[in-house]
Amino acid sequence: MSLVVSPSMVQRWTRLSRRAAAAVVIVLLGLAVLPGVLGAGAIDRLAALFVYVIMAAMWNALAGYGGLVSVGQQMFFGLGAYFTVRLAETGLDPFVAMGMASLLVAVVSYPLSLVMLRLKGGEFAIGMWVVSALTHLMVNLDGLIQGETGRSLISLNAYAPGARRDIIYWLALVAMTGLLGGLFALLRNRTGASIQAIRDNEEAAGSLGIDVTRTKRLIFVLAAFGIGVAGALWLASATTFQPKTYFSVQWTAYMIFMVLVGGIGRFEGAILGAVIFFLIETWFGALGVWYLIGLGVVALLFSLFMPLGLWGAIETRFGVSLMPVGYRLEIPPQSRKD
């Protein structure tokens, strides 16, 4: 009797991940028709969920995959809203202004990356927070904004409340789908492998011929653009822009919480973390200070007892990967031959 060893296979898609991809398509199609089914309150809340998913995915892309931990991403959130107000005041349709504002955030982030990416580790994290605070102060100097008094996106009143709500919902859904799809495609190609190699060991990645600076700049600008989109969408729902609200560090704290709880460095983790945060906010947000204390306690408990996050623990325990961005080695069982 002898053992017959079947050859191992390197896989990217598994049967489970293919089914998960099909389920995602079905869910997205279902979400697209909900404005005709659900009430105004539910549509507003779902649009908020889509924004949370965008923010979590972009921070996870920057820190979880790129290794660039930032506590200043609220700068791009605030700039997305600020540029939308500014452009709308020129006579642009507010929804067109939102798209252009998001692109402008990406344009602004490029020269900023030339400076900030020279910083490492904690210096980068704190440096981003400092730049965010300075940006907040500069926005306050704009006469149109009137300091912390702020400014409303008045041009949205040209749309009927129901139509406006539905448009914002669909824009948030399309933006979430497009950004997640683009990020997924990026992480699955050679650039995505380079991003993760830089995160693991920047010097080793450079020695292998990877353009470290260019690759880090790409993920930095992408994350800025995505969070700028989130800021513009949030403004469209809230209609009022106040600098102290949009440039508050709480937005980055929320991003960190979602990624930490869901699972940093895991594509599914950011989405799961956003859903968990959304549910906690929906059920306990009215508790005020106690709600914020609760978020801090939950984040602390996850840091101590589940550092890989919820999805990280599931993936490690059961080997489940619904949206794989890497490869896995499938080792078939040995068979006996008499």
Side-chain angles (χ1 to χ4, degrees):
M1 181 182 65
S2 61
L3 291 177
V4 177
V5 181
S6 302
S8 301
M9 296 179 294
V10 177
Q11 294 182 329
R12 169 160 283 188
W13 289 103
T14 64
R15 181 179 301 177
L16 177 61
S17 63
R18 290 190 181 94
R19 291 176 178 174
V24 167
V25 173
I26 294 172
V27 169
L28 290 175
L29 291 175
L31 290 173
V33 301
L34 286 184
V37 178
L38 299 180
I43 293 302
D44 285 338
R45 291 302 297 151
L46 282 174
L49 172 60
F50 300 156
V51 172
Y52 290 151
V53 171
I54 291 172
M55 291 194 295
M58 293 300 102
W59 197 87
N60 189 43
L62 185 70
Y65 287 104
L68 298 168
V69 178
S70 168
V71 292
Q73 296 305 100
Q74 67 272 12
M75 170 177 58
F76 304 120
F77 186 84
L79 285 178
Y82 168 68
F83 287 147
T84 298
V85 171
R86 254 296 172 195
L87 291 171
E89 288 292 328
T90 67
L92 279 176
D93 180 274
F95 296 113
V96 175
M98 289 166 57
M100 294 186 65
S102 302
L103 292 173
L104 191 53
V105 171
V107 170
V108 169
S109 71
Y110 182 84
L112 179 63
S113 70
L114 299 178
V115 177
M116 300 310 298
L117 292 180
R118 295 177 180 270
L119 304 177
K120 309 290 184 182
E123 293 178 349
F124 173 80
I126 300 303
M128 288 297 297
W129 178 81
V130 171
V131 173
S132 176
L134 292 175
T135 304
H136 177 191
L137 294 175
M138 288 189 290
V139 168
N140 276 346
L141 296 177
D142 188 340
L144 175 69
I145 303 303
Q146 305 176 64
E148 294 298 352
T149 301
R151 183 79 174 184
S152 296
L153 193 58
I154 302 172
S155 56
L156 277 176
N157 293 330
Y159 292 84
R164 181 174 67 201
R165 183 181 302 109
D166 291 348
I167 292 172
I168 294 170
Y169 174 89
W170 282 318
L171 285 177
L173 178 60
V174 169
M176 179 189 71
T177 304
L179 287 167
L180 288 181
L183 177 61
F184 184 68
L186 175 68
L187 292 174
R188 283 170 61 88
N189 64 25
R190 291 183 62 183
T191 302
S194 298
I195 291 170
Q196 296 173 73
I198 293 170
R199 173 199 62 191
D200 296 337
N201 192 314
E202 186 172 322
E203 289 73 20
S207 68
L208 293 174
I210 295 175
D211 189 333
V212 172
T213 302
R214 181 181 176 184
T215 305
K216 289 168 67 175
R217 184 173 297 123
L218 173 63
I219 201 68
F220 183 91
V221 172
L222 174 62
F225 170 72
I227 294 174
V229 170
L233 287 167
W234 196 269
L235 172 66
S237 297
T239 69
T240 301
F241 172 73
Q242 290 179 303
K244 66 180 178 181
T245 299
Y246 284 81
F247 285 94
S248 171
V249 73
Q250 75 173 20
W251 294 108
T252 297
Y254 290 163
M255 297 178 213
I256 295 173
F257 175 88
M258 290 185 281
V259 174
L260 181 65
V261 170
I264 189 168
R266 288 167 173 81
F267 194 87
E268 305 92 336
I271 300 172
L272 178 60
V275 172
I276 292 173
F277 174 76
F278 172 78
L279 294 175
I280 292 174
E281 182 189 59
T282 301
W283 294 334
F284 305 108
L287 297 178
V289 174
W290 287 107
Y291 157 69
L292 297 176
I293 293 174
L295 288 181
V297 171
V298 171
L300 179 61
L301 291 175
F302 267 85
S303 297
L304 292 174
F305 302 108
M306 199 176 288
L308 296 179
L310 188 56
W311 187 260
I314 293 172
E315 188 178 89
T316 301
R317 176 67 178 82
F318 300 103
V320 176
S321 182
L322 300 181
M323 304 298 291
V325 297
Y327 294 90
R328 58 187 295 164
L329 181 64
E330 184 71 20
I331 302 177
Q334 297 176 346
S335 59
R336 293 183 178 182
K337 183 178 180 180
D338 297 328

